[in-house]
Amino acid sequence: AIVELGNSGFYTIGVSAPLTGALKQVGEAFLQGVLLAVRQVNSSGGLQRGTVMNRIKVRVLNDAGDRAEAIKVASAFAKDKLIWGVVGPYSSSTLLAAAPIYNNSSNVIIAPAATNPRISSAGANIYRVAPSDSTQGASLARLVLARGNKSVAVLFDADDAYSSGLSVSFKAEAQKIGLVTSDTPFTLNGYNIAKVGNYAVSAIFVAGYTADVAAVAKLEKGFGKRIFAGDGGYGQDLIAQGGDAVEGVIVTSFWHSTLTDSNSKRFTAQFAALFGGGTPNANAVQAYDAARTLIEALRRAKQLKN
C-alpha cells in the first residue's frame, strides 16, 4: 500500500533488487528488510525534519541480478525526481555497472551486500553496509587452512566482480599462510564439469552464489572434498537447490539469526512479528540496515536537493 500512495507528504526511496532469476530469493529478502525499516519509521509518524513529518514511500524495480538491467534501473531512478536515494543493487557486478549513472544523478546509493573492494572508490554517491572482500577472502583462506586442508581448488568467474574479487583476496592470503591453490575458472550459473574431484586437493572454494555452490556440490558429491564459499553462497534455498549434497558445506555470513546480542535478538523478533514467524537471513538484515541508514541520512541532512 505504501508503494501505491500519492507523492504528497512523502520521501520516496528506490530499491534495486533481483526479483526474478537465480537470485530471486535475495531480492525477496531485500524487500523484507526494507519493508520492516519503512514500517517502523512510518508507524511512528514518519521521518521528521524540523517540525514536518513525512512518511516514507518505496519504489521497487527489478534488476534481475543482471548488469544490463541494473543500468536500466539506475537510469529510471535518475530520471525520477521524487527519488531521494536507492537501496541496492545486490551484486558487485551490477553495482559497479550502474555506478556511473548513479554518480551522475542526485541519488545516494547504499548497497546492502556488494563486497568487491573497488566499490570503496566507485564514486561519491556509492556506499555500502557490507565489508569488503579484501577481508572476507582472507578470512576464508585462513578458515580453509584451520580446518586441516593444505590445498584447495579455487573456482571463480573472471568476468564477475564478486567472484573475481573474492578469489583474488582468497589466493593472496593463501599464499601468505602456505595454503596451496589451484585455479579452476568457471562461468557463474554454468558449472557442469565434475573434475575437481580428480585434483590432488583436499578442499574446494567456490567464489560464487547459491546456485553455483549447489551445482558444484552435486557434481562433486562422492569425491570427499570439503566445499567452502563466501557470503554469496549463503541462502535459505541452498538446501532446496543442492539437497543432501550441500550437507557439510561451509559458507561465511555477515549475520545470522542465531546471534544472541541484543540488537540481533530484537531484529529477529521484529522480523518474525511482521512476517508471520519467519526467520530472517543476512540479506534481510543488511537491506534493513541500508534502508535505515538512508532514512537517517535524509533526516540528518542540513539541506535536501533533488
Side-chain angles (χ1 to χ4, degrees), residues 125-137:
N125 287 7
I126 310 299
Y127 298 86
R128 65 177 176 208
V129 296
S132 166
D133 283 329
S134 59
T135 300
Q136 181 180 197

Side-chain angles (χ1 to χ4, degrees), residues 8-38:
S8 179
F10 285 87
Y11 290 115
T12 304
I13 63 174
V15 177
S16 175
L19 303 180
T20 55
L23 298 172
K24 178 181 178 180
Q25 191 182 67
V26 172
E28 293 171 349
F30 269 22
L31 293 186
Q32 289 175 325
V34 172
L35 174 60
L36 178 55
V38 170

Side-chain angles (χ1 to χ4, degrees), residues 198-243:
N198 299 319
Y199 285 8
V201 296
S202 57
I204 301 170
F205 170 55
V206 183
Y209 300 100
T210 303
D212 306 301
V213 176
V216 171
K218 287 190 287 187
L219 287 169
E220 299 295 342
K221 185 179 178 182
F223 285 109
K225 313 291 186 185
R226 176 58 63 87
I227 297 175
F228 297 80
D231 65 299
Y234 168 61
Q236 290 170 312
D237 56 345
L238 179 59
I239 295 177
Q241 293 189 43

Side-chain angles (χ1 to χ4, degrees), residues 115-264:
T115 53
N116 186 282
R118 285 189 287 146
I119 293 169
S120 298
S121 56
N125 287 7
I126 310 299
Y127 298 86
R128 65 177 176 208
V129 296
S132 166
D133 283 329
S134 59
T135 300
Q136 181 180 197
S139 296
L140 277 160
R142 293 193 294 270
L143 176 62
V144 171
L145 184 64
R147 291 301 178 96
N149 301 287
K150 303 297 184 183
S151 57
V152 56
V154 180
L155 276 64
F156 66 97
D157 187 336
D159 292 328
D160 181 80
Y162 168 70
S163 183
S164 60
L166 186 61
S167 65
V168 166
S169 175
F170 180 95
K171 290 186 288 185
E173 183 67 16
Q175 185 175 22
K176 292 178 183 178
I177 62 179
L179 177 65
V180 179
T181 61
S182 298
D183 282 4
T184 306
F186 81 114
T187 302
L188 292 176
N189 296 317
Y191 184 76
N192 54 20
I193 302 174
K195 62 181 181 180
V196 174
N198 299 319
Y199 285 8
V201 296
S202 57
I204 301 170
F205 170 55
V206 183
Y209 300 100
T210 303
D212 306 301
V213 176
V216 171
K218 287 190 287 187
L219 287 169
E220 299 295 342
K221 185 179 178 182
F223 285 109
K225 313 291 186 185
R226 176 58 63 87
I227 297 175
F228 297 80
D231 65 299
Y234 168 61
Q236 290 170 312
D237 56 345
L238 179 59
I239 295 177
Q241 293 189 43
D244 61 358
V246 299
E247 292 293 339
V249 170
I250 297 174
V251 299
T252 50
S253 176
F254 302 128
W255 183 85
H256 198 270
S257 60
T258 56
L259 291 171
T260 57
D261 63 281
S262 59
N263 287 332
S264 293

